[in-house]
Amino acid sequence: MNYLAHLFLAQPNSLSLSGNLMGDFTKGVNLASLPKPIMRGIENHRFVDKFTDNHPEVRALKPLLSDKRRRFYAIISDVVFDHFLVNHWQQFSAQSFTQFSQYSYRQLELSVDLMPEKMRYMVERMIAQDWLSSYADIANTGRAIDSISKRIRFDNHLAGAIVEVEQHYRQYEQVFLTFFPQLVIQVKKQNIEL
């Protein structure tokens, strides 16, 4: 899952939200030095990623992509699922999306000093540019995928993948609507952060 889903599946406090985002930024970090709530957030992040990557319906999205993009199907679906989470928000939360995103931004700012440098830079940009709200628009979601393409250190065909997603938009949406409630249940069942 991508940033929004990881924040949604975190506990509503600064350290958990930071830990759930930090799962992608642990390289070179002395994990033993982190507060326990951040460590549990990282563990929750890893559980979410493993469950998502191994879910049969998510894996079934892979053949929808062209040969040159199949390798990146997990990255593509993770970002696209944030798009669907924004657009189906009221099915999953009684809190408004605006309240959730603004609260999350404020909480992340409280623990910015505990974040690795790359994460700190990313979170600052996320807040300044309101990335979470931008996922509501499929074109912005495509730009997020294109941005990831630029950060990958080898030649890839990830950029422009949103065109292929749009060709199968309803299938991606249906997978999300089937899969995501299962993920929410599993995260609660695992109870990693409580």
Side-chain angles (χ1 to χ4, degrees), residues 38-56:
I38 287 185
M39 277 304 305
R40 287 193 293 269
I42 291 169
E43 290 170 22
N44 195 59
H45 174 113
R46 290 175 176 164
F47 171 78
V48 167
D49 282 356
K50 184 176 180 180
F51 182 86
T52 302
D53 292 345
N54 291 303
H55 194 282

Side-chain angles (χ1 to χ4, degrees), residues 159-186:
I162 203 66
V163 172
E164 294 185 30
V165 170
E166 288 178 301
Q167 292 169 355
H168 304 284
Y169 187 88
R170 292 294 166 223
Q171 287 167 278
Y172 273 87
E173 184 176 37
Q174 191 53 56
V175 167
F176 171 79
L177 290 172
T178 302
F179 148 77
F180 195 71
Q182 296 173 23
L183 175 60
V184 171
I185 289 167
Q186 289 303 313

